[in-house]
Amino acid sequence: MKPIYLLTALFLTLQATAQSPWTKEKGQFFTNLSYSSISDYSELFGDPDFNVSGTITDRTYQFYGEYGLTNSTSLLVNIPLKSIDINNYVDPAILCQGDCSESFSETAFGNITLGLKHNFSKKKWVLSGQLNMEINTSSYDENSAIRTGYDAYTFTPMFLAGTSFGKNYFQSFVGADIRTNNYSSNLKIGGEIGRKLTQNIWLIGFVDISQSLNNGNITFPANNAANNLYVNDQEYVAYGLKGILQFCDFGLTAGFGSALSGNNVPKKAAISFGIFNTF
């Protein structure tokens, strides 16, 4: 398996789109199918931390593809299918006696992403730029208040840098999420370091930081504000581990991610599994 494909695969677990500086060779195609879940959470980060009504499980089934337009430029696409359950929910706006809890479940597309990544240097350090556009393809159900993505378009310019040395690699990124529809924009920065443990196994640690600029004033229905699904000013300082089991051009990925701090995001770890192939 060529190193360029392996390094791309390492970045996909627990990420919506690859943030690796390595691009595909012309005509090469990389695909990844993954599943991630944050299960049965009710507490969110805030100032102070707070609880939502009921428990929420947020699952994502995701297809990611990357195609080499040239040896230096790749086209990216990410298609998430969201499946969100809310159990034992009690509408805070309704006064009732007895058991007023309800359960809801919605499955719909999240924000589909298209992107371009261009490599500027392939010397000791690989340097690239990337521009993603998150399309407003998510849905909102008024009855359940389940939102499957941001009600906005998001433009994400990033600068990416990475290098490999021996059995190790390092990569980092810096950029911004610029959102429409009166959502706040976010600054983004993060990095990863990985090591090849055996002929077929890699282990990676990562840090991912997203900081809201608090420059948006979008309002939400009361029940959506109560469950905090894809509301405004979401931010976090996240960390985690991920790994890959490699079989030539085919492999399996797995990951675990949590947060040290945040705002309007779950206080619960996420897990992810994936399968990838290159051709």
Side-chain angles (χ1 to χ4, degrees), residues 95-174:
L95 297 176
C96 66
Q97 296 179 345
D99 184 7
C100 303
S101 63
E102 298 179 276
S103 294
F104 301 98
S105 181
E106 294 291 334
T107 299
F109 285 112
N111 296 109
I112 295 173
T113 299
L114 299 175
L116 281 175
K117 178 165 55 179
H118 181 74
N119 175 256
F120 303 114
S121 174
K122 295 183 179 180
K123 297 180 181 179
K124 177 61 178 176
W125 280 87
V126 179
L127 306 177
S128 300
Q130 184 170 320
L131 177 63
N132 295 339
M133 180 180 69
E134 233 178 57
I135 306 170
N136 191 359
T137 49
S138 64
S139 67
Y140 174 68
D141 181 75
E142 294 183 359
N143 184 48
S144 65
I146 292 178
R147 191 179 296 279
T148 62
Y150 294 108
D151 184 21
Y153 286 82
T154 303
F155 300 90
T156 306
M158 289 187 292
F159 175 75
L160 315 166
T163 186
S164 58
F165 44 98
K167 294 184 177 181
N168 308 288
Y169 80 91
F170 171 78
Q171 77 91 31
S172 61
F173 67 90
V174 60

Side-chain angles (χ1 to χ4, degrees), residues 6-69:
L6 177 58
L7 289 169
T8 301
L10 294 171
F11 295 100
L12 291 173
T13 305
L14 293 169
Q15 295 186 10
T17 52
Q19 295 167 345
S20 158
W22 285 270
T23 54
K24 300 278 93 40
E25 296 177 0
K26 183 178 180 180
Q28 299 292 335
F29 196 39
F30 174 90
T31 61
N32 184 83
L33 293 173
S34 64
Y35 165 82
S36 61
S37 176
I38 308 176
S39 300
D40 294 327
Y41 72 86
S42 59
E43 187 176 9
L44 278 71
F45 283 105
D47 187 17
D49 299 342
F50 60 98
N51 289 303
V52 296
S53 177
T55 59
I56 301 175
T57 294
D58 188 337
R59 305 181 186 92
T60 304
Y61 305 89
Q62 185 168 269
F63 169 81
Y64 174 86
E66 188 169 338
Y67 177 76
L69 297 175

Side-chain angles (χ1 to χ4, degrees), residues 177-255:
D177 288 325
I178 303 169
R179 293 194 171 96
T180 64
N181 198 24
N182 290 321
Y183 274 90
S184 293
S185 297
N186 284 48
L187 297 178
K188 299 161 56 72
I189 187 170
E192 300 190 351
I193 186 166
R195 180 173 176 82
K196 190 173 186 178
L197 301 180
T198 70
Q199 183 65 27
N200 301 100
I201 298 175
W202 287 73
L203 182 65
I204 306 101
F206 69 89
V207 175
D208 189 358
I209 301 171
S210 180
Q211 177 68 48
S212 174
L213 296 179
N214 299 303
N215 58 347
N217 57 5
I218 185 173
T219 58
F220 298 92
N223 50 0
N224 185 194
N227 64 37
N228 272 53
L229 288 169
Y230 297 96
V231 295
N232 200 24
D233 295 323
Q234 291 186 316
E235 57 188 15
Y236 53 82
V237 177
Y239 68 94
L241 291 173
K242 50 189 178 177
I244 185 170
L245 179 61
Q246 160 198 351
F247 306 98
C248 296
D249 292 340
F250 162 83
L252 304 173
T253 60

